[in-house]
Amino acid sequence: QVQLVESGGGSVQAGGSLRLSCAASGYTYSRYCMGWFRQAPGKEREGVARIDSAAYTRYADSVKGRFTISKDNTKNTLYLQMNSLKPEDTAKYYCAAAPEICGNSWYILEYNSYWGQGTQVTVSS
């Protein structure tokens, strides 16, 4: 059974950094798409960053240059390094994983995937 467990969230001041982790168990697909979504209260869920087994990465425009997604295959863990955090980055962040490459949109990762329970990130001004 696939299980994704996020960690690393917390509270930080604007300009600070956090690194989110997503430990995947029972997930050993050679082709995969993994990534991060976030949802703030009253707002729609949005894709933040994704990576696939072809090493293709994609970022939301709002986080480009500030966030970096990576995966440690030896630990089967996905990371999101978040630098220069802004109050508008405040949200609950979710890890998602799909057993195929990402393609050109967020669709596969959002709708044909496994999800973690989320970790809260709060950025104060």
Side-chain angles (χ1 to χ4, degrees), residues 47-68:
V48 176
R50 65 182 192 253
I51 186 170
D52 67 18
S53 48
Y56 174 85
T57 59
R58 182 69 180 262
Y59 296 89
D61 288 343
S62 58
V63 306
K64 280 181 182 176
R66 300 188 298 122
F67 291 11
T68 303

Side-chain angles (χ1 to χ4, degrees), residues 6 13 22 33 51 67 94 99 118:
E6 301 100 333
Q13 289 192 327
C22 172
C33 177
I51 186 170
F67 291 11
Y94 298 88

Side-chain angles (χ1 to χ4, degrees), residues 4-52:
L4 304 175
V5 179
E6 301 100 333
S7 61
S11 297
V12 65
Q13 289 192 327
S17 298
L18 285 172
R19 187 177 80 155
L20 305 184
S21 299
C22 172
S25 60
Y27 188 84
T28 56
Y29 300 101
S30 58
R31 288 164 58 90
Y32 62 82
C33 177
M34 297 185 73
W36 296 90
F37 289 82
R38 67 185 181 187
Q39 187 165 24
K43 294 187 177 180
E44 291 188 357
R45 184 170 64 193
E46 65 169 337
V48 176
R50 65 182 192 253
I51 186 170
D52 67 18

Side-chain angles (χ1 to χ4, degrees), residues 77-124:
T77 299
L78 182 73
Y79 300 100
L80 185 68
Q81 178 66 45
M82 305 186 296
N83 298 328
S84 302
L85 282 161
K86 304 175 180 180
E88 50 263 45
D89 295 318
T90 294
K92 194 165 187 179
Y93 285 69
Y94 298 88
C95 171
E100 54 188 300
I101 59 174
C102 296
N104 295 323
S105 73
W106 296 97
Y107 184 89
I108 288 173
L109 189 59
E110 188 162 15
Y111 297 110
N112 185 31
S113 56
Y114 304 95
W115 286 75
Q117 294 300 307
T119 184
Q120 178 68 35
V121 171
T122 303
V123 184
S124 58

